Amino acid sequence: MPPETIVELSRELRVELGDRSYPILIGPGLLGQPDRWAPLLRGRQVLLVTDSNVAPHYLDSARAALCGKSLDVVILPAGEAQKSMANLDSLMQRLAGLGASRDACVVALGGGVIGDLSGFAAACWMRGVPFLQLPTTLLAMVDSSVGGKTAINLPQGKNLVGAFHQPLAVVADTDTLATLPDRELRSGLAEVIKYGAITDAAFLDWLDQHRDALLARDAAALTEAIERSCRHKADIVARDETERGERALLNFGHSFGHAIEAIAGYGEVLHGEAVAIGMCMAARLAARLEMASGDDAERLSSLLQAFGLPTQRPANLAPEKLLDAMRLDKKNLSGRLRLILWRGAGRAEMVDGVESADILRAIAAAGAA
Ligand code: NAD
Ligand code: GLY
């Protein structure tokens, strides 16, 4: 790639959190430019965590970037099921084996599964050691690597055990998206669409206009989508790091989506797919409650479908079972369901005390695929 194209496709943002502020670097070839990020790792010991799909493509570059460190590498099987208590335990054992001290760093090379799990390990080891995100999926670049939410799943629900632990930096090498399977790319685009849905209606129009380019992995279009998404996330996180209010809006579609993931069996429905179905349910529920028009819900559903995302509930998923699983959502208080709905494109809102009957009808209205 010519140097001027690299410059054109490179962006740098910042998450402003006082003395825990950090950069988000976005651009081609960043794994091969460690001078731009490796100096942030001060200590000698590094635990690098990745998965079996990512390692064959990118582990060598990451290893080379970390040469000179006392390095241990963990390669986990790929998939959502790896965000488990058992793997948290095994990462703790590896950190102990490395003799990791408080300045040791945990480096996540992979998608949101690797980032969430290893970030939580970093948060737990000695009550918190530095952590670096090297996201390799679109979903991780636009959402999970930014903002410091780390977690593992329980059979009862997604992300039920976790911590807020901000990374030292997010380094998104956009070249890594070349090897991402199409289904995973679309899953990431669901979270991109979410930013438009909750806060930026003009971004939804832009996404509609650039759909073909995004699905064809046009570098300029993807860079723009990643930058705009990260800008939204960084701004919201800077205003509400630990989800006292506004940050909850980032969970539009997630109360439904997390329940779908847990019931379907982790990894059966991808996170972004579940969020796409969940956003349609939330939009339909908002229409039922007369907060927004049914046309808004239909437009969102059409956009998601045009990006190849599912919008209907999986066939074997009964509405009652989904509602039951939603009762363990982290946003709920004192046993009352708290949902993120909207007043139309770009205007998400938190709503308490929605009647179960209305939720069930919105779930049922999302058909069955
Ligand atoms: P993932 O980590 O499972 O990655 C998706 C798949 O792509 C995996 O099979 C992985 O091996 C493969 N892969 C990754 N990079 C690749 C590459 N460059 N080339 C080829 N294959 C590659 O899933 P994900 O979609 O990245 O993340 C989903 C997870 O993120 C969920 O657990 C979700 O709960 C979590 N999440 C967290 C936050 C947060 O704020 N912490 C936000 C959104 C989602
Ligand atoms: N993905 C939701 C959040 O980071 O708050």
Side-chain angles (χ1 to χ4, degrees), residues 295-365:
D295 288 352
D296 289 328
E298 287 320 309
R299 190 171 161 240
L300 179 64
S301 172
S302 303
L303 183 69
L304 290 162
Q305 283 170 20
F307 274 95
L309 285 156
T311 54
Q312 292 182 310
R313 150 176 66 87
N316 55 355
L317 211 161
E320 294 75 15
K321 204 167 170 197
L322 194 74
L323 180 59
D324 238 23
M326 288 167 67
R327 296 195 192 285
L328 257 187
D329 190 272
K330 294 189 294 306
K331 287 182 295 305
N332 302 338
L333 289 179
S334 307
R336 276 163 68 85
L337 280 182
R338 167 171 276 193
L339 296 172
I340 309 304
L341 304 180
W342 75 353
R343 294 204 175 267
R347 291 184 294 148
E349 202 171 287
M350 184 145 55
V351 181
D352 280 327
V354 181
E355 296 292 336
S356 298
D358 285 320
I359 300 175
L360 283 172
R361 281 197 203 96
I363 296 172

Side-chain angles (χ1 to χ4, degrees), residues 86 103 148 161 175-176 241 280 292:
D103 58 354
V161 183
D175 282 346
T176 61
E241 181 184 8
C280 288

Side-chain angles (χ1 to χ4, degrees), residues 142-144 146-149 164 190-199 228-241 243 245-255 258 271 275 279 331 340-341 348-350:
V142 300
D143 194 352
S144 63
V146 177
K149 276 191 182 174
F164 287 98
E191 295 280 20
V192 174
I193 291 169
K194 175 190 76 181
Y195 292 108
I198 63 171
T199 181
R228 286 175 80 158
S229 300
C230 286
R231 209 174 276 290
H232 281 305
K233 179 123 190 207
D235 286 351
I236 292 173
V237 168
R239 290 192 292 265
D240 179 20
E241 181 184 8
E243 202 168 305
E246 184 187 2
R247 185 167 179 170
L249 302 183
L250 290 166
N251 286 306
F252 183 58
H254 284 58
S255 303
H258 282 166
H271 179 69
V275 167
M279 288 194 288
K331 287 182 295 305
I340 309 304
L341 304 180
E349 202 171 287
M350 184 145 55

Side-chain angles (χ1 to χ4, degrees), residues 51 53 80 83 111-113 116 136-137 149 158 176 179 184:
D51 76 29
N53 291 334
E80 184 69 34
K83 269 173 65 173
V113 165
D116 280 13
T136 64
T137 63
K149 276 191 182 174
K158 284 261 303 180
T176 61
T179 54
E184 299 292 349

